[in-house]
Amino acid sequence: MNQQEKLPEGNQTQLMEFILLGFADMPHVQWLLFGFFLIIYIIILISNGTIFLLTKIDPVLQSPMYFFLANFSFLEICYVSAILPRMLINLGTQRRRISLVACATQMCFVFMLAATECLLLAVMAYDRYVAICDPLHYPLLMNHKVCIQLVTGSWIIGVPVQIGQTYQIFSLTFCGSNIINHFFCDVLPLLKLACEDTFVNEMLVYIVSVLFAMIPFLLILGSYSKIISTILKLPSATSQAKAFSTCSSHLMVVVLFFGSAIITYLRPKTSHSEGTGKVLSLFYTILTPMLNPLIYTLRNRDVIMALRKLVCK
């Protein structure tokens, strides 16, 4: 890393750009990482795009569950597109510079989309809860209007909160080092560069994490405790297996996404490690969007049949 990219520690001038360190500590594999993440990005775009397309054109997939899955796939494309293109540019050009405005914009979009993902996963759990625990009222409780309202709420509820949080963070004065030890503009590495007390900002991060991660996660766990209890009461093993298969995919995604995100933002400050933070971030920002289509496709017979029909055509 060029030492000229650092500002003197005593310089109190407000920073106007940052350096996203990313994976600069592995200089000999930069092009290998570029190719690796480029392939992952292409896989995410194609796989999630295919699921979104299938749910729109196949008559069998015109149900609330697949309506939510289509929105989830579209969300994943938006989510990784807020992170991976900038990461690829940094790996390809080795410049790593990002302006203060661009950094704030990236952080705001990443957090808004992450909040949407948390809420949408909770909505999908509620859909499975109604379908299995109250099947007779399912068409009434999950009609098209209700589905649209749930999805719309998931997309917009987090917007004002995350805009406000981003504004508060970038109202701080940043001076001294301008190096963010991360592959995107994440809040915790950025707060370490502030010249003033960040206690209020850190508390806000915890509060927002509880509201948009911990609470939806607990609601999902509550839904699945009811679902599992209901499934175990079903008379036939075939019915139990079918019910489990429709829920296990969603539960796998929930554990992978929420587990890594909650550990990242709610662990004690004393246990914060920049290297560990980057690895955990890879799970919920890149690995989960890549695995989601695979998880849903391999464990869903309707999606597999729709994919076969599309390929045959």
Side-chain angles (χ1 to χ4, degrees):
M1 175 64 63
N2 192 334
Q3 295 300 317
Q4 293 179 352
E5 291 179 342
K6 287 188 178 183
L7 296 178
E9 292 296 330
N11 190 343
Q12 296 297 307
T13 303
Q14 171 70 31
L15 296 175
M16 296 307 295
E17 70 173 12
F18 299 101
I19 306 296
L20 283 171
L21 193 61
F23 304 96
D25 54 341
M26 298 183 286
H28 301 298
V29 294
Q30 294 297 293
W31 283 106
L32 183 62
L33 288 173
F34 176 85
F36 177 69
F37 286 117
L38 179 62
I39 292 172
I40 287 178
Y41 188 40
I42 293 171
I43 291 173
I44 290 172
L45 293 179
I46 293 176
S47 56
N48 283 283
T50 301
I51 288 182
F52 180 82
L53 179 65
L54 288 175
T55 57
K56 296 300 179 185
I57 65 175
D58 196 291
V60 178
L61 305 182
Q62 304 305 308
S63 66
M65 182 175 75
Y66 297 110
F67 173 72
F68 295 134
L69 182 57
N71 277 272
F72 189 67
S73 297
F74 177 71
L75 171 65
E76 296 289 55
I77 292 174
C78 296
Y79 189 39
V80 296
S81 296
I83 298 173
L84 270 175
R86 167 67 67 171
M87 186 198 300
L88 292 172
I89 291 172
N90 293 345
L91 286 169
T93 63
Q94 297 297 302
R95 291 189 70 244
R96 302 190 181 92
R97 295 181 180 273
I98 184 170
S99 69
L100 186 142
V101 174
C103 188
T105 302
Q106 184 188 52
M107 179 185 290
C108 189
F109 273 99
V110 168
F111 281 177
M112 285 192 299
L113 294 168
T116 301
E117 181 154 351
C118 293
L119 296 173
L120 195 54
L121 284 170
V123 167
M124 294 169 76
Y126 173 70
D127 171 69
R128 293 298 84 208
Y129 166 77
V130 176
I132 293 174
C133 299
D134 196 6
L136 295 179
H137 294 98
Y138 182 73
L140 178 64
L141 294 175
M142 299 302 294
N143 61 66
H144 188 62
K145 182 180 178 180
V146 171
C147 292
I148 291 176
Q149 290 173 341
L150 289 172
V151 167
T152 304
S154 299
W155 278 94
I156 66 175
I157 286 176
V159 171
V161 176
Q162 301 302 346
I163 290 177
Q165 183 181 27
T166 304
Y167 175 79
Q168 187 183 39
I169 290 168
F170 281 87
S171 296
L172 296 169
T173 301
F174 299 99
C175 56
S177 174
N178 65 339
I179 295 178
I180 301 174
N181 190 6
H182 214 295
F183 55 85
F184 72 98
C185 286
D186 198 7
V187 58
L188 296 179
L190 191 65
L191 289 177
K192 294 180 180 180
L193 307 183
C195 303
E196 51 195 283
D197 183 35
T198 60
F199 176 78
V200 173
N201 304 87
E202 290 170 6
M203 287 300 100
L204 182 62
V205 171
Y206 281 109
I207 292 170
V208 172
S209 298
V210 169
L211 287 175
F212 289 99
M214 184 60 76
I215 291 178
F217 183 59
L218 292 176
L219 290 174
I220 291 170
L221 291 183
S223 298
Y224 273 100
S225 65
K226 293 281 188 180
I227 289 171
I228 292 172
S229 175
T230 302
I231 290 175
L232 294 176
K233 295 176 183 177
L234 293 176
S236 69
T238 304
S239 300
Q240 290 181 355
K242 185 177 180 180
F244 269 121
S245 68
T246 61
C247 299
S248 58
S249 301
H250 181 249
L251 195 56
M252 290 169 64
V253 172
V254 165
V255 171
L256 186 61
F257 176 78
F258 278 100
S260 55
I262 288 173
I263 293 172
T264 300
Y265 293 103
L266 293 180
R267 58 189 168 141
K269 188 177 179 180
T270 53
S271 66
H272 281 180
S273 166
E274 293 176 337
T276 304
K278 279 194 280 190
V279 172
L280 288 170
S281 297
L282 285 173
F283 274 90
Y284 67 84
T285 60
I286 296 174
L287 186 63
T288 304
M290 183 183 70
L291 293 179
N292 285 348
L294 190 65
I295 292 171
Y296 280 113
T297 303
L298 290 181
R299 302 185 65 84
N300 192 302
R301 186 175 301 176
D302 292 337
V303 175
I304 292 176
M305 294 302 296
L307 184 60
R308 286 177 178 172
K309 286 191 287 183
L310 181 65
V311 172
C312 292
K313 287 182 180 179

